[in-house]
Amino acid sequence: MSDTLADRLAAYASVASDLNVDAVALVPGPNFTRTVQHNFMSHERPFVLVIPAQGAAAALVPNLELGSWDLIGFDGAVFDWRDQDGYAAAFDAMMRHLSIKSLGVEGQIMRVFVHHALKAAQPDLTIIDAEREISALRMIKTDADIAAMQAAIDISERALARTFDSVKLGQTEKDIEQVLIQSVFAEGADDLAFAPIVAAGDNSARPHAKARADYKVQSGDALLIDFGVRKDGFCSDITRTVFLVHASDEARAVYDTVLRANLAGLDATRAGVTAHKIDDAATSVLEASPFRDRIRTKTGHGLGREVHEAPYIMRGNHMTLPAGTVYTNEPGLYEIGKFGVRIEDDVLVTEDGYRTLTTFTKELTVLSC
Amino acid sequence: MSDTLADRLAAYASVASDLNVDAVALVPGPNFTRTVQHNFMSHERPFVLVIPAQGAAAALVPNLELGSWDLIGFDGAVFDWRDQDGYAAAFDAMMRHLSIKSLGVEGQIMRVFVHHALKAAQPDLTIIDAEREISALRMIKTDADIAAMQAAIDISERALARTFDSVKLGQTEKDIEQVLIQSVFAEGADDLAFAPIVAAGDNSARPHAKARADYKVQSGDALLIDFGVRKDGFCSDITRTVFLVHASDEARAVYDTVLRANLAGLDATRAGVTAHKIDDAATSVLEASPFRDRIRTKTGHGLGREVHEAPYIMRGNHMTLPAGTVYTNEPGLYEIGKFGVRIEDDVLVTEDGYRTLTTFTKELTVLSC
């Protein structure tokens, strides 16, 4: 299948047509990077690629990026601007050139200052949130995408094994986090995909906990590690929860429940099922347990160039998952003030079922420390 | 000076009053983190803290974050929402509770989907971009802020020394980048502040170049490394450009020009000068040289919890810099297709001048490789 810049731009033009808007806009982020095959930064500088339903694309480019922009082979109009001059005139010129009345944008990525700059240049422009439709183009992963994700996952699993092997009672969560981070880069990661979660004891009950410098891990603690890395533009995202020295009967029962929910979610996975159905399969296991009041999250989210992307695996999301989707299956149970357990796999949807890209053991593990 | 959550909220209430808006809103990012002293993620989940000019603050919090939110000691109203239910009802309830007509937001941080959710809950709400006024509260760094930045800078300089020491002809830019990244974490960084720039030869002429896996560094190349790390929530940002084995006369002349611009910017620095004046001092040196057509960027930007923040050091920005501001002084000259030179220091503005927090040598350096 042909996959040139022109092909990718044409696909966004079709999105605009389908949405009945005159154009869609991309800003630096996962869709932009996928489209131009170059990772641009934006920070305080607006940088916008506009793809009309009909006609050639146009781009508003910070002047200092022109040397990099020249690499991507874009043949549309370019409106560049220098820091010293500001960007208002470039927006004015681009919007006059485009002559559009409506624009679909990436609501989860575009920031308000760009929205305002577009409206300042053209007050009658209708801006709609087309995040779902724009980002849908990267939901089905190519073989190259999956290879990059597998590389990221393999790095993560080697780093996780090194980290668990090194845990000693009396270390702080921060100490363990440092081992994890150094292991991740020693194993070849390009970057962290997000700030790692290394949480023991009561902190493991916070789904997005921060590692504490003042809490030393103790015998009997749950130790939850949730992290991901980037490799060649793609993310991994894995969680494992282990117990230190011993696991109480309650901990074992909670762990078993979460594991059964994870497996039920996997069992429900195949091309053509809805996100709703996978969440329902996993969450129903949690709800049927004595721990149902500890449910705090949906089952998972899509994974790719972003660590959280479509499809969101939750009840009420009746989007069907095509083969090639990768999602996280991460049910958990969290008792605030006590402990939490989460088990997270990265799952590739296939025609006849699924393949878990993560292979790290999910058997209940008690570290001897 | 008292610095409690209540104090910090009161300061934002004053910003709202000064702007003549009914409230300001913060979303996860540097202002939010500074305010609640906890690093929350947002991803696909709206998370908003609203501080009215008069009366108590309110927060819209993803349900799964409640366990972490409980840590921050917030006593305003909390409107939480679960993934399965969506966030529209929580926005409706919060906006009814607040009863405001106008809202200042962080235009560089808030994303369009949150803007749209606010407008959906209250169509007559006027939303203005108050990025400058909101973020101004973190422009003057405290002693603790500066200590964290110095720690980040010290880590960076040790990592940079290790990286330059290891450069060998025939390595790719990617090879050198890997050494840099591993060194950064071995030296104790919490995270990278941004994707590092490791660029040799013609790639050094791209201010935001990506390291290439297929370019091997050669004798005579400029090697530009621009990177930063995070430590305890604060960033470093440093650039040095060296030459491999030998430096041409032109390279030496360009380097000398950039260094004189950097020093002129420093010389112009003291509390009370405008950002304009510092950029003008540095840029005038570049403009007076034979290389004036190679100017592509402003002189620098503020540095703190974000790697690019106010004040932006450019002509036309007549904001005066108070003592305690930290900015990057990073003039450069870039000839597309040939080579670029940039020299970047992190500079603390003081009452009677400045202190460079970066101490890495700026003498022209030729690595023997």
Side-chain angles (χ1 to χ4, degrees):
Chain A
M1 188 180 117
S2 165
D3 182 29
T4 65
L5 175 61
D7 295 329
R8 293 187 292 271
L9 293 175
Y12 291 111
S14 295
V15 169
S17 290
D18 292 349
L19 281 171
N20 264 315
V21 291
D22 294 336
V24 298
L26 306 182
V27 293
N31 300 311
F32 196 102
T33 303
R34 169 186 171 275
T35 304
V36 305
Q37 298 282 305
H38 191 96
N39 187 25
F40 287 97
M41 293 192 272
S42 177
H43 294 302
E44 77 277 17
R45 297 184 179 97
F47 197 152
V48 189
L49 173 58
V50 181
I51 305 123
Q54 307 288 338
L60 181 134
V61 180
N63 178 274
L64 85 166
E65 301 288 11
L66 287 181
S68 297
W69 187 255
D70 286 348
L71 297 175
I72 71 160
F74 180 76
D75 58 10
V78 173
F79 300 85
D80 73 302
W81 61 276
R82 289 177 192 268
D83 289 332
Q84 279 81 350
D85 306 323
Y87 48 77
F91 272 97
D92 288 347
M94 181 175 74
M95 297 314 288
R96 271 199 311 275
H97 169 85
L98 283 165
S99 187
I100 58 175
K101 291 286 180 199
S102 55
L103 183 67
V105 305
E106 307 155 284
Q108 300 257 350
I109 305 169
M110 180 181 281
R111 289 171 290 159
V112 168
F113 82 118
V114 177
H115 184 284
H116 283 202
L118 288 162
K119 292 287 280 186
Q122 189 179 329
D124 70 349
L125 183 69
T126 300
I127 297 178
I128 69 153
D129 186 348
E131 171 72 38
R132 193 163 58 102
E133 294 79 5
I134 293 171
S135 292
L137 294 191
R138 61 189 165 85
M139 199 163 87
I140 297 178
K141 271 61 187 175
T142 66
D143 289 348
D145 296 349
I146 293 164
M149 294 179 80
Q150 188 70 62
I153 290 165
D154 292 349
I155 289 166
S156 304
E157 296 197 340
R158 293 196 301 270
L160 186 60
R162 284 164 71 143
T163 305
F164 281 148
D165 284 351
S166 77
V167 172
K168 293 277 168 280
L169 298 186
Q171 285 181 313
T172 66
E173 292 170 352
K174 266 281 175 203
D175 292 335
I176 298 168
E177 185 189 55
Q178 277 297 313
V179 172
L180 177 72
I181 291 174
Q182 293 191 26
S183 300
V184 152
F185 288 99
E187 292 291 353
D190 292 338
D191 198 359
L192 295 167
F194 57 95
I197 296 165
V198 176
D202 65 317
N203 208 20
S204 63
R206 299 184 179 101
H208 288 166
K210 275 291 285 176
R212 298 172 293 191
D214 61 354
Y215 179 80
K216 294 180 177 175
V217 300
Q218 302 174 16
S219 178
D221 275 355
L223 172 63
L224 183 158
I225 297 186
D226 181 353
F227 74 110
V229 311
R230 282 183 191 277
K231 188 70 184 175
D232 296 333
F234 283 83
C235 298
S236 61
D237 188 3
I238 179 171
T239 309
R240 290 294 185 268
T241 307
V242 298
F243 298 92
L244 306 187
V245 186
H246 74 88
S248 68
D249 289 346
E250 186 197 2
R252 288 174 185 272
V254 169
Y255 191 92
D256 177 66
T257 304
V258 174
L259 179 55
R260 285 187 295 109
N262 168 283
L263 297 174
L266 293 177
D267 269 353
T269 301
R270 73 181 52 77
V273 300
T274 62
H276 169 95
K277 197 161 172 184
I278 295 171
D279 185 37
D280 189 60
T283 302
S284 294
V285 172
L286 304 178
E287 288 173 342
S289 80
F291 312 113
R292 57 174 297 148
D293 59 320
R294 303 184 189 182
I295 302 169
R296 304 188 77 83
T297 66
K298 61 179 179 259
T299 292
H301 51 79
L303 182 71
R305 290 184 181 273
E306 284 207 300
V307 70
H308 283 215
E309 62 180 43
Y312 296 98
I313 308 299
M314 62 180 176
R315 286 175 176 162
N317 181 0
H318 297 288
M319 173 191 278
T320 58
L321 306 192
T325 306
V326 176
Y327 80 89
T328 68
N329 178 323
E330 51 174 316
L333 290 169
Y334 310 91
E335 187 173 17
I336 293 181
K338 284 190 75 180
F339 75 103
V341 170
R342 178 162 69 254
I343 302 171
E344 178 181 26
D345 285 320
D346 301 338
V347 184
L348 171 65
V349 179
T350 64
E351 286 299 345
D352 53 358
Y354 64 91
R355 181 154 62 87
T356 51
L357 304 179
T358 37
T359 59
F360 204 96
T361 185
K362 294 187 279 191
E363 300 238 333
L364 186 141
T365 300
V366 177
L367 300 181
S368 56
C369 297
Chain B
M1 190 180 118
S2 164
D3 182 29
T4 65
L5 175 60
D7 295 329
R8 293 187 293 270
L9 294 175
Y12 291 111
S14 296
V15 169
S17 289
D18 293 349
L19 281 170
N20 264 316
V21 291
D22 295 334
V24 298
L26 307 181
V27 295
N31 300 312
F32 196 102
T33 302
R34 169 185 171 275
T35 304
V36 305
Q37 297 283 304
H38 190 95
N39 187 25
F40 286 98
M41 293 192 272
S42 177
H43 295 303
E44 78 277 18
R45 297 185 180 97
F47 197 152
V48 189
L49 173 58
V50 181
I51 304 124
Q54 307 289 338
L60 182 135
V61 181
N63 177 274
L64 85 166
E65 301 288 11
L66 286 182
S68 297
W69 186 255
D70 286 347
L71 296 176
I72 71 161
F74 180 76
D75 58 9
V78 173
F79 300 86
D80 72 303
W81 61 277
R82 289 177 192 268
D83 289 332
Q84 279 80 352
D85 306 324
Y87 48 76
F91 272 97
D92 288 347
M94 182 175 72
M95 298 313 288
R96 271 199 312 274
H97 168 85
L98 284 165
S99 188
I100 58 175
K101 291 287 181 200
S102 55
L103 183 67
V105 307
E106 306 155 284
Q108 301 256 350
I109 304 168
M110 180 181 280
R111 289 171 290 160
V112 168
F113 81 118
V114 176
H115 184 283
H116 282 202
L118 288 163
K119 292 287 279 185
Q122 189 178 328
D124 70 350
L125 183 69
T126 300
I127 297 178
I128 69 152
D129 186 347
E131 172 72 37
R132 194 163 57 101
E133 294 80 5
I134 292 171
S135 292
L137 294 191
R138 61 189 166 85
M139 200 163 86
I140 298 179
K141 271 59 185 175
T142 66
D143 290 348
D145 296 349
I146 293 164
M149 294 178 80
Q150 188 68 64
I153 289 165
D154 293 348
I155 289 166
S156 304
E157 296 196 341
R158 293 196 301 270
L160 186 60
R162 284 164 72 142
T163 305
F164 281 147
D165 284 350
S166 77
V167 172
K168 293 276 167 283
L169 297 185
Q171 284 180 314
T172 66
E173 292 170 351
K174 265 280 173 205
D175 292 335
I176 298 168
E177 184 188 55
Q178 275 298 313
V179 173
L180 178 71
I181 291 174
Q182 292 191 26
S183 301
V184 151
F185 288 99
E187 293 290 352
D190 291 339
D191 198 358
L192 294 167
F194 58 94
I197 296 164
V198 177
D202 64 318
N203 208 22
S204 63
R206 299 184 180 102
H208 288 166
K210 274 292 283 175
R212 298 171 293 191
D214 61 355
Y215 179 79
K216 295 178 176 176
V217 300
Q218 300 174 16
S219 178
D221 275 355
L223 172 63
L224 183 157
I225 297 186
D226 181 354
F227 74 111
V229 311
R230 282 182 193 276
K231 187 70 183 174
D232 296 333
F234 284 83
C235 297
S236 62
D237 188 2
I238 179 170
T239 308
R240 290 293 184 268
T241 307
V242 299
F243 298 92
L244 306 187
V245 186
H246 73 89
S248 69
D249 289 346
E250 185 196 4
R252 288 174 186 272
V254 169
Y255 191 92
D256 178 65
T257 305
V258 174
L259 179 56
R260 285 187 294 106
N262 168 284
L263 297 174
L266 292 177
D267 270 353
T269 301
R270 74 181 51 75
V273 302
T274 61
H276 169 96
K277 198 162 172 183
I278 296 172
D279 185 37
D280 189 59
T283 302
S284 295
V285 173
L286 304 178
E287 288 173 344
S289 79
F291 313 113
R292 57 173 300 147
D293 59 319
R294 304 185 189 183
I295 301 169
R296 305 189 75 82
T297 65
K298 62 178 178 265
T299 292
H301 51 80
L303 182 71
R305 289 183 182 272
E306 283 207 300
V307 70
H308 284 215
E309 62 181 41
Y312 296 99
I313 307 301
M314 61 181 178
R315 285 175 176 163
N317 181 2
H318 297 288
M319 173 190 279
T320 57
L321 306 192
T325 305
V326 176
Y327 80 87
T328 68
N329 178 323
E330 49 174 317
L333 290 168
Y334 311 91
E335 187 171 17
I336 293 180
K338 284 190 77 180
F339 76 102
V341 170
R342 177 163 68 254
I343 302 172
E344 177 181 26
D345 285 320
D346 302 338
V347 185
L348 171 65
V349 179
T350 63
E351 286 300 344
D352 54 357
Y354 64 90
R355 180 154 63 87
T356 51
L357 304 179
T358 37
T359 60
F360 204 96
T361 185
K362 294 186 279 191
E363 300 239 332
L364 187 143
T365 300
V366 177
L367 299 182
S368 57
C369 298

